[in-house]
Amino acid sequence: MRFYDALQLDPAILKRRIAACSTTGEKAYYWAAMAVRSVLIVAFAVGFISFLSGVFGADNTPLAVALFCILLGIRFVNFGYCVKDSLLTLAAALAILVLAPSAAAVVPPFCLIPLHFGGFLLLLWITTQHPEMGNGGLYSFAYIYLTGNPVVGEALFRRGLLALTGYLLCGAILFFKHRHQHKTVRFRHVVRKFDLTRPVCMWQLRMALGVSLVLTAGQIFDVERFMWMGFACASLLSAYPYPGNRFTRFWQRIAGAAAGCGAFWVLYLLLPESMRPMLGPLGGLCLGFCTDYRYKTAMNCLGALMLGAGIYGVRGAVVLRMADTLLGVTFGLVFAAVFHSLVAVRFLPAPETEQPA
């Protein structure tokens, strides 16, 4: 395998190849590919996000982060229907990500649940026909992150321009990478297939309702960094096939958050002040070697806590991260159980794994 081709592989695939290697040289080759891949992704992220933030303003950095993630994902995963309809879908998805989170910051509290539910369900419906491919986690992350960082006025106008820029970049990649796939499948076929007897549709409904409730609760009760609570809840509800192993995710999320918070606290106190900003990129580098959900959770804490420490101090950020995580996964666990007993069992008489379309 060429080194360039190895760089395109997911860490899970690279680790399987390493395990199958019979010589030390082969193992070193794939370890090197994994390391170079991680460095390149972090370097590209820093350059891409810094450039867009410089052009469109630091208050729009969250959308730059979301666009970076979409840019990486859309190279490999499409929406499951023809490219013409997919380009329209991408525009609609970015419009939701720009408008719904900002609207949620100004509408009356009684409007929050229908706003979040409608926006999030539509986002999942148009982008995630095969949750096992990861689109659900990608777009839910973007929605929650932007809900926690809304803008209004002139900054919202700049966010719209940034979304247009992101659309041109991501749309070009979507077209050139996937224009020959699913040529006969139109979006109207997806509309006709919506049926709550299908596990993927039940998964979409559960995700949308659960995330809309936890975001609404966070906003109404003024929970600090409520988006962290939303991330934890969405992570638990995103398990697929439906209903997924909720208890495993519950404990893994808590364990990963605890490990990440502990590692951040120790490193923050040990490192000189000039080197502390490197904790975010360090988490990104380490993430490139992770395949286990717990370790990914831990590494994601480093960048989030680095931002939080500047606002709440290191101790406050760590305590808040753990508190929001516990609230999010506990809410998700209880909600999933109630949803399944009151809604899902009426449409899914027996747990089944949906066959690929």
Side-chain angles (χ1 to χ4, degrees):
M1 174 181 288
R2 295 184 305 165
F3 195 73
Y4 175 81
D5 294 329
L7 293 177
Q8 310 306 308
L9 299 179
D10 184 86
I13 298 175
L14 288 170
K15 286 191 174 182
R16 287 198 295 269
R17 288 182 176 270
I18 290 170
C21 289
S22 57
T23 67
T24 303
E26 288 179 307
K27 292 180 183 290
Y29 180 81
Y30 286 116
W31 276 116
M34 196 182 306
V36 171
R37 174 185 180 275
S38 183
V39 170
L40 290 176
I41 289 176
V42 171
F44 178 53
V46 171
F48 182 84
I49 295 169
S50 297
F51 175 75
L52 292 181
S53 298
V55 174
F56 297 98
D59 46 5
N60 282 315
T61 297
L63 181 56
V65 172
L67 288 173
F68 169 75
C69 296
I70 294 171
L71 190 71
L72 291 185
I74 213 164
R75 295 171 58 219
F76 303 104
V77 182
N78 55 54
F79 298 138
Y81 38 89
C82 69
V83 71
K84 178 182 177 181
D85 290 358
S86 294
L87 288 170
L88 295 175
T89 291
L90 179 61
L94 291 176
I96 293 171
L97 292 176
V98 169
L99 298 176
S102 293
V106 297
V107 299
F110 66 86
C111 294
L112 286 174
I113 291 179
L115 174 63
H116 284 312
F117 176 71
F120 199 70
L121 180 61
L122 180 59
L123 187 65
L124 291 178
W125 186 34
I126 65 178
T127 64
T128 312
Q129 296 307 307
H130 299 282
E132 66 276 11
M133 302 303 292
N135 266 0
L138 172 61
Y139 287 93
S140 66
F141 160 79
Y143 187 93
I144 295 168
Y145 192 30
L146 292 169
T147 299
N149 295 275
V151 292
V152 294
E154 190 266 340
L156 179 58
F157 177 72
R158 285 187 278 106
R159 181 164 290 190
L161 293 179
L162 174 55
L164 177 60
T165 302
Y167 175 75
L168 295 176
L169 290 171
C170 296
I173 294 173
L174 177 64
F175 178 81
F176 286 109
K177 290 287 186 179
H178 305 288
R179 65 187 184 278
H180 299 305
Q181 300 182 39
H182 310 292
K183 287 186 175 182
T184 61
V185 182
R186 303 297 303 271
F187 179 69
R188 63 175 180 268
H189 299 145
V190 174
V191 174
R192 293 170 184 167
K193 286 171 60 179
F194 189 83
D195 185 344
L196 291 181
T197 61
R198 298 177 63 222
V200 66
C201 297
M202 187 62 68
W203 176 90
Q204 291 169 341
L205 179 63
R206 186 184 71 172
M207 273 282 286
L209 183 57
V211 170
S212 65
L213 288 174
V214 79
L215 291 179
T216 298
Q219 289 179 270
I220 290 177
F221 294 108
D222 291 323
V223 177
E224 291 287 344
R225 306 296 279 185
F226 67 87
M227 64 180 180
W228 289 351
M229 189 169 65
F231 291 147
C233 177
S235 178
L236 187 143
L237 296 178
S238 67
Y240 190 81
Y242 182 90
N245 194 331
R246 302 186 300 271
F247 289 99
T248 299
R249 278 281 177 113
F250 177 83
W251 293 114
Q252 286 181 338
R253 186 77 185 191
I254 293 174
C261 287
F264 175 81
W265 197 331
V266 171
L267 290 171
Y268 191 92
L269 295 178
L270 290 178
L271 289 173
E273 186 174 354
S274 61
M275 295 186 64
R276 288 171 182 170
M278 297 303 298
L279 286 174
L282 175 63
L285 286 172
C286 294
L287 194 61
F289 293 87
C290 295
T291 55
D292 187 282
Y293 176 71
R294 293 166 296 178
Y295 300 137
K296 290 181 179 180
T297 299
M299 293 304 104
N300 278 326
C301 283
L302 297 185
L305 287 171
M306 192 64 237
L307 294 175
I311 304 171
Y312 308 102
V314 60
R315 178 179 297 182
V318 166
V319 170
L320 190 57
R321 180 75 174 189
M322 283 306 306
D324 282 347
T325 296
L326 289 171
L327 285 172
V329 293
T330 300
F331 177 89
L333 189 66
V334 173
F335 169 79
V338 172
F339 179 88
H340 189 75
S341 62
L342 295 182
V343 180
V345 294
R346 299 175 184 271
F347 297 92
L348 301 176
E352 296 179 353
T353 301
E354 187 183 43
Q355 296 300 317

